[in-house]
Amino acid sequence: MSFSSDVKEELSRQVPLARHCQIAEIAAIFALCGQTRQNEQGGYFIRIQTENAYVARKYFTLLKKTFNIEAKLSVKQNQKENTYLIVVSETDDSKRILEAIKQTESSGGNSLLVHKIVIQRQCCKRAFLRGAFLAAGSISDPNRFYHFEIVCQDQKKAEELRNIIGSFGIEARIVSRKNHFVVYIKEGDQIVELLGIMEANISLMNLENIRILKEMRGSVNRKVNCEMANLSKTVNAAVRQIEDIRYIESTIGFSALPEGLEEIARMRLAYPEASLVELGRMLTPVVGKSGVNHRLRKLKEIAEDLRRKQGGELL
């Protein structure tokens, strides 16, 4: 299963104990994948359509626990995914549900994502977000990148959802995609926090473990890259130093150099891969890194001066 499926599977097993939280979660599922339809007798019924078995199972369970309603479940088999249809066929039962979730015409109907009374408690907001993610949400594979989203039918509902998420101190954004509006989060730490809010604790720990491993790999890679860069600088500097020393040797010879410069010149030729600290330890007496660097800089100046003189003679 995908990481997103794992989260939904975990959330589908989280059934709130408080009735008001159960109603909040039902309200979220209805708002994002539910409809009210008129029947032949002039009454109406509620239907939920989803391609996710976990959503169907959760909604079916919540209706039974909250309202003691036995909904009808049917499955349409498709080539790629099954479609689950849950129908509350009795008008009286449908009316009870709609009144509880404040989705009747007198309370705003389907124009609202959720009535503020339904989510006036923080625990109900948590339940609502859990239901919203189950109904229309997804999370990318965190091994690749971080992306959490919930798809809404229109911009107004997307803004409502963003505000509910924002009430927990999490900054979500909205983007238009085809005929829908997507509320999304891309920061890994905020996705972790949101999983905690929805009470997906196992998924939260799994995501944290992945984040830790990714940060460790990133830290190791940065350290290796830094060491490689330093090594490359050391090698390139040594190559230039050796070129200068060989030029001095071929023009005026080492005997023309002061004793200290001759010693470091011969040492650099003998140990081309040694660092400045290692070169200094091999000298007699021992010389510090800055002292070695000073001598090599003097050799560079001598080589450059010899090149300039030779260029002038050729002219």
Side-chain angles (χ1 to χ4, degrees):
M1 289 198 303
S2 66
F3 183 77
S4 191
S5 294
D6 289 340
V7 176
K8 290 194 175 187
E9 194 275 337
E10 181 181 0
L11 292 179
S12 71
R13 300 181 185 280
Q14 294 279 358
V15 179
L17 296 176
R19 189 172 187 273
H20 48 79
C21 290
Q22 294 170 3
I23 290 171
E25 195 161 349
I26 290 172
I29 296 172
F30 176 80
L32 293 171
C33 62
Q35 294 175 321
T36 305
R37 295 285 183 87
Q38 191 170 14
N39 58 30
E40 294 177 355
Q41 290 76 36
Y44 54 88
F45 63 92
I46 291 174
R47 55 176 273 169
I48 297 291
Q49 182 172 312
T50 178
E51 293 178 349
N52 193 298
Y54 301 128
V55 179
R57 182 175 70 187
K58 184 64 174 289
Y59 187 69
F60 191 90
T61 302
L62 286 170
L63 289 180
K64 178 64 177 175
K65 282 186 171 292
T66 311
F67 301 102
N68 197 27
I69 293 173
E70 291 283 356
K72 295 178 182 178
L73 172 64
S74 58
V75 182
K76 182 180 178 181
Q77 293 184 336
N78 302 319
Q79 288 184 345
K80 292 184 178 180
E81 293 179 314
N82 293 334
T83 299
Y84 301 88
L85 187 64
I86 302 173
V87 177
V88 178
S89 56
E90 296 295 327
T91 299
D92 289 344
D93 289 339
S94 299
K95 185 178 179 181
R96 286 168 56 204
I97 296 168
L98 293 174
E99 286 178 346
I101 65 176
K102 307 300 180 187
Q103 285 288 359
T104 59
E105 289 186 9
S106 61
S107 58
N110 289 335
S111 62
L112 293 172
L113 178 70
V114 61
H115 198 286
K116 61 182 179 181
I117 292 177
V118 176
I119 55 169
Q120 58 185 335
R121 298 179 176 90
Q122 283 294 95
C123 58
C124 293
K125 288 181 182 178
R126 291 172 181 267
F128 185 87
L129 289 176
R130 183 165 56 243
F133 178 77
L134 271 170
S138 64
I139 300 182
S140 65
D141 179 358
N143 286 295
R144 298 174 58 201
F145 56 90
Y146 303 122
H147 183 86
F148 173 103
E149 69 174 42
I150 298 176
V151 181
C152 299
Q153 294 96 329
D154 57 60
Q155 186 172 359
K156 184 179 178 181
K157 290 182 178 179
E159 289 171 353
E160 285 184 68
L161 181 60
R162 180 180 61 184
N163 291 338
I164 295 170
I165 294 173
S167 69
F168 291 96
I170 298 174
E171 184 181 358
R173 296 179 175 85
I174 298 173
V175 65
S176 175
R177 184 188 298 161
K178 296 182 180 179
N179 297 323
H180 296 85
F181 288 83
V182 180
V183 181
Y184 71 94
I185 300 167
K186 286 189 173 295
E187 291 74 23
D189 57 338
Q190 293 200 336
I191 294 174
V192 167
E193 189 174 349
L194 196 50
L195 287 175
I197 290 167
M198 297 189 300
E199 298 182 72
N201 297 320
I202 295 173
S203 298
L204 183 155
M205 292 304 299
N206 290 337
L207 178 54
E208 279 286 51
N209 288 337
I210 292 170
R211 289 183 71 215
I212 290 169
L213 286 173
K214 286 177 72 173
E215 288 175 7
M216 286 178 62
R217 290 193 195 104
S219 177
V220 169
N221 287 338
R222 286 191 295 272
K223 191 171 182 179
V224 169
N225 291 338
C226 181
E227 289 177 353
M228 288 297 293
N230 290 336
L231 180 61
S232 179
K233 286 172 62 177
T234 300
V235 170
N236 291 336
V239 168
R240 290 192 298 270
Q241 292 160 6
I242 289 171
E243 288 175 354
D244 290 338
I245 291 168
R246 292 199 184 282
Y247 186 75
I248 293 170
E249 184 182 24
S250 65
T251 51
I252 62 173
F254 290 155
S255 59
L257 296 174
E259 182 180 348
L261 295 185
E262 179 182 358
E263 184 183 17
I264 194 65
R266 294 185 183 278
M267 197 66 71
R268 171 49 88 194
L269 290 180
Y271 302 97
E273 296 179 358
S275 67
L276 299 186
V277 173
E278 291 169 338
L279 285 175
R281 289 172 180 167
M282 289 185 270
L283 297 174
T284 305
V286 173
V287 176
K289 180 180 177 181
S290 60
V292 172
N293 192 42
H294 175 73
R295 294 186 187 187
L296 290 171
R297 225 174 20 245
K298 292 293 294 182
L299 289 172
K300 178 182 178 182
E301 291 170 2
I302 292 170
E304 288 176 349
D305 186 54
L306 289 170
R307 289 188 182 102
R308 280 194 296 271
K309 288 179 180 178
Q310 187 180 41
E313 290 173 2
L314 290 174
L315 291 173

